[in-house]
Amino acid sequence: MFKLYGTEVSSRLLLGTAGYASPDLLRQAVEASGAEIVTVSLRRESARAKTGQGFWGLIEELGRKVLPNTAGCRTAKEAITTAQMARELFGTNWIKLEVIANDDTLQPEVFGLVEAAAELNADGFDVLPYTTEDLSVAERLVAAGCDVLMPWGSPIARPRGLRTRPRFRPCAPIFPTTPLIVDAGLGAPSHAAEAMEMGYDAVLLNTAIAKAGDPVKMARGFARAVEGGRLAFEAGIVEPRDMASPSTPVVGTPFFKIDNVS
């Protein structure tokens, strides 16, 4: 159990809802994952007209908490306007804030991101910013009022896992009271487990499940990996060593000589 803006969440797996072969497959995957929070793109679904209306009905039927996002926005002004529209549509102050720098990597545009985060936080939003693993950007987002950070693992839809592991490790100890969610780039359950073992609070993913051969089984796999990784972090993982350390030491162990008995 952890908290996002005062809301207790049991599942540490958050799911995107794009790219599924059918609405029924999306429903099954969400249910199999146990995810309590799903993200939706206001722009994408609004553009699909009648199909979008059916999508909203499906999300309501699932009974999950909706996290609208500002996917596709390239400026702070554009993201702010989209967030305000999402609040009116969904009746929630939660917003996954995305300001994109370029189309090739979908890397966050960190200057516009911080600008938009400051304005939206001042306007009463609960901002979950999609950002890089750069610690200086994280500090600016926290200073702008963000109580959650969502660094990317790899570029969106390029499932390579944690691309820069040494830069990810310091985040949890430096921001011990800020929920950290790895967002984007996780392609296998082992990637999710690795993030959780580092002390991250949750992961958010879409493509790795939606485009899997069997999205329902993959959703279950990620759910178990996230749980296992978190349990390992809480238990305390044994640090690696350069030298062997016998599990049954012989130093100080008595040895008994048995003479041959004829």
Side-chain angles (χ1 to χ4, degrees):
M1 185 78 70
F2 72 117
K3 286 186 177 183
L4 294 175
Y5 287 105
T7 297
E8 290 191 341
V9 182
S10 297
S11 173
R12 295 176 182 271
L13 176 59
L14 289 69
L15 287 190
T17 54
Y20 285 86
S22 70
D24 187 57
L25 199 54
L26 167 59
R27 179 189 296 107
Q28 291 181 59
V30 171
E31 291 173 349
S33 72
E36 299 171 58
I37 299 172
V38 296
T39 67
V40 296
S41 169
L42 176 64
R43 288 183 159 209
R44 184 187 71 245
E45 299 306 332
S46 295
R48 292 169 63 184
K50 292 182 179 179
T51 304
Q53 293 173 14
F55 176 84
W56 302 137
L58 171 60
I59 295 300
E60 290 178 354
E61 181 183 327
L62 287 171
R64 266 55 176 185
K65 184 171 181 61
V66 173
L67 174 59
N69 67 41
T70 62
C73 294
R74 300 180 67 90
T75 66
K77 182 178 180 180
E78 199 175 5
I80 291 165
T81 300
T82 302
Q84 291 168 340
M85 292 171 61
R87 179 162 64 180
E88 290 296 320
L89 178 61
F90 294 104
T92 178
N93 287 327
W94 280 29
I95 192 73
K96 179 190 170 187
L97 180 61
E98 297 184 28
V99 182
I100 301 303
N102 63 71
D103 294 330
D104 291 329
T105 65
L106 300 180
Q107 177 174 333
E109 198 285 279
V110 295
F111 300 102
L113 181 68
V114 173
E115 178 186 345
E119 184 164 336
L120 289 172
N121 279 311
D123 192 28
F125 280 88
D126 296 327
V127 179
L128 293 85
Y130 163 63
T131 182
T132 67
E133 73 278 23
D134 189 289
L135 294 176
S136 64
V137 177
E139 289 171 348
R140 283 163 173 76
L141 287 167
V142 171
C146 296
D147 290 342
V148 178
L149 295 171
M150 301 178 70
W152 67 344
S154 297
I156 293 174
R158 297 184 184 179
R160 298 181 178 180
L162 303 181
R163 188 181 50 175
T164 54
R165 290 170 179 79
R167 296 179 62 181
F168 268 89
R169 292 189 183 280
C171 290
I174 289 176
F175 300 99
T177 62
T178 302
L180 300 172
I181 303 172
V182 176
D183 179 14
L186 303 183
S190 57
H191 298 161
E194 182 181 18
M196 300 303 293
E197 289 170 3
M198 288 183 184
Y200 282 80
D201 295 281
V203 300
L204 193 161
L205 52 98
N206 188 173
T207 303
I209 291 179
K211 299 301 183 182
D214 187 331
V216 178
K217 284 186 178 179
M218 188 63 77
R220 292 195 192 103
F222 268 100
R224 293 173 184 176
V226 167
E227 182 180 2
R230 183 64 189 186
L231 285 173
F233 170 73
E234 292 176 348
I237 298 172
V238 176
E239 292 295 324
R241 299 169 179 164
D242 293 329
M243 303 295 291
S245 177
S247 57
T248 306
V250 296
V251 176
T253 302
F255 288 85
F256 299 94
K257 181 179 179 182
I258 300 178
D259 294 329
N260 292 328
V261 178
S262 58

